[in-house]
Amino acid sequence: MYRTRTRVLMYDGFPLYVQEDLPVTPMRFALAKVKAVTLFRKKVARYRQVFRMYATRKYKCKPSAVDFKPLSLMERSIRQARLCPLEPLVYGEADGWDIRVNSEMSMGFDALVGTLLHEALHCFCRVRGRWLPISGEHHCMQVLGEPKFLTSCH
């Protein structure tokens, strides 16, 4: 019987990518979405803290000028994520609302959860009514523990 490992080791806000890469199946993807929603809900205060700190320092504004997408919308975008064939070496992509994960790339369960969290954090934070640029989002994700080589290829 095939067993799926659904436990992930965390480093601050992102999983440690230590598991063996396996093909992404719909069953593993469904389990990863549930785990990602749970982790997002658990870590959302930390995500907001890092993004707010970065935005206030970078744009020299008050913390009240920084706002975030509601948690319910973030959870919905993770739950509605889809498996799609994407370009090689691309783990996933997001347009702010829709999350697409590469169905043709092998990845461990922790990398699958991390990809969902990464894509959900795009268009998560606004400063003075404007979305944070991708470079700023990636900086915050690195502060939260995502490896640098992953944020450079998203």
Side-chain angles (χ1 to χ4, degrees):
M1 181 172 135
Y2 177 73
R3 297 203 63 207
T4 303
R5 181 177 177 183
T6 59
R7 185 172 177 212
V8 294
L9 300 172
M10 296 291 287
Y11 176 76
D12 201 2
F14 275 91
L16 293 172
Y17 299 109
V18 295
Q19 296 175 3
E20 179 184 349
D21 289 346
L22 298 169
V24 178
T25 63
M27 181 179 135
R28 288 181 67 232
F29 188 61
L31 290 170
K33 289 195 284 188
V34 171
K35 188 66 157 184
V37 166
T38 303
L39 290 173
F40 195 91
R41 194 178 300 142
K42 183 178 175 185
K43 298 286 187 176
V44 71
R46 176 69 176 140
Y47 296 151
R48 287 179 177 159
Q49 177 190 24
V50 169
F51 276 75
R52 181 175 284 121
M53 186 170 49
Y54 172 79
T56 54
R57 289 182 179 171
K58 173 79 175 171
Y59 298 103
K60 298 175 177 59
C61 63
K62 294 180 180 178
S64 60
V66 180
D67 66 334
F68 301 94
K69 216 188 262 187
L71 182 59
S72 60
L73 292 178
M74 301 303 297
E75 290 177 0
R76 186 184 321 155
S77 67
I78 295 172
R79 281 192 199 103
Q80 293 177 350
R82 296 176 291 148
L83 282 174
C84 301
L86 300 174
E87 295 177 25
L89 302 178
V90 174
Y91 286 86
E93 61 184 21
D95 60 8
W97 301 106
D98 295 326
I99 297 173
R100 293 168 297 284
V101 175
N102 196 344
S103 60
E104 297 175 350
M105 186 173 219
S106 294
M107 53 181 110
F109 186 76
D110 47 9
L112 198 50
V113 171
T115 300
L116 288 166
L117 291 173
H118 175 102
E119 299 305 335
L121 287 172
H122 283 295
C123 296
F124 171 61
C125 175
R126 282 191 304 228
V127 182
R128 297 183 186 131
R130 295 186 177 186
W131 295 113
L132 209 58
I134 291 174
S135 60
E137 293 172 338
H138 283 170
H139 172 80
C140 293
M141 290 177 208
Q142 287 174 16
V143 170
L144 288 164
E146 187 169 47
K148 188 171 183 146
F149 72 91
L150 289 175
T151 54
S152 64
C153 42
H154 277 67

